[in-house]
Amino acid sequence: MVEEVHTVLGEDGASSVHQRLVRGNPVDVLVDAATGADMLVVGSLGRGGFSRALLGSVSQQTALHAPCPITIVRADDPAG
């Protein structure tokens, strides 16, 4: 993940990103972390076929309960 942050944001942008490891329910942890944030960005894992059109359970629940705007980013599909 560190490499992706540097690739996307460059050295200057990456220096403003803070990482921390937190134990708990993913939705609760993300919603708590988003308190006071301008935006929450989460990923959504594609599962292929019909389920690929759906949000994952964490993305969906986070979108429903986030205290700020949320952006859900899908990974690129390597199969194209």
Side-chain angles (χ1 to χ4, degrees), residues 5-58:
V5 170
H6 284 270
T7 299
V8 172
L9 300 177
E11 282 301 315
D12 291 338
S15 67
S16 67
V17 174
H18 303 281
Q19 298 178 33
R20 62 185 173 148
L21 180 61
V22 180
R23 179 176 282 205
N25 175 289
V27 175
D28 295 338
V29 168
L30 289 166
V31 168
D32 277 351
T35 301
D38 293 328
M39 178 175 288
L40 175 63
V41 180
V42 297
S44 179
L45 298 176
R47 299 284 185 205
F50 174 73
S51 63
R52 195 165 126 203
L54 303 175
L55 291 177
S57 60
V58 171

Side-chain angles (χ1 to χ4, degrees), residues 52-78:
R52 195 165 126 203
L54 303 175
L55 291 177
S57 60
V58 171
S59 298
Q60 183 176 24
Q61 289 301 306
T62 304
L64 291 173
H65 300 289
C68 63
I70 180 170
T71 298
I72 301 169
V73 180
R74 286 192 167 281
D76 289 337
D77 183 0

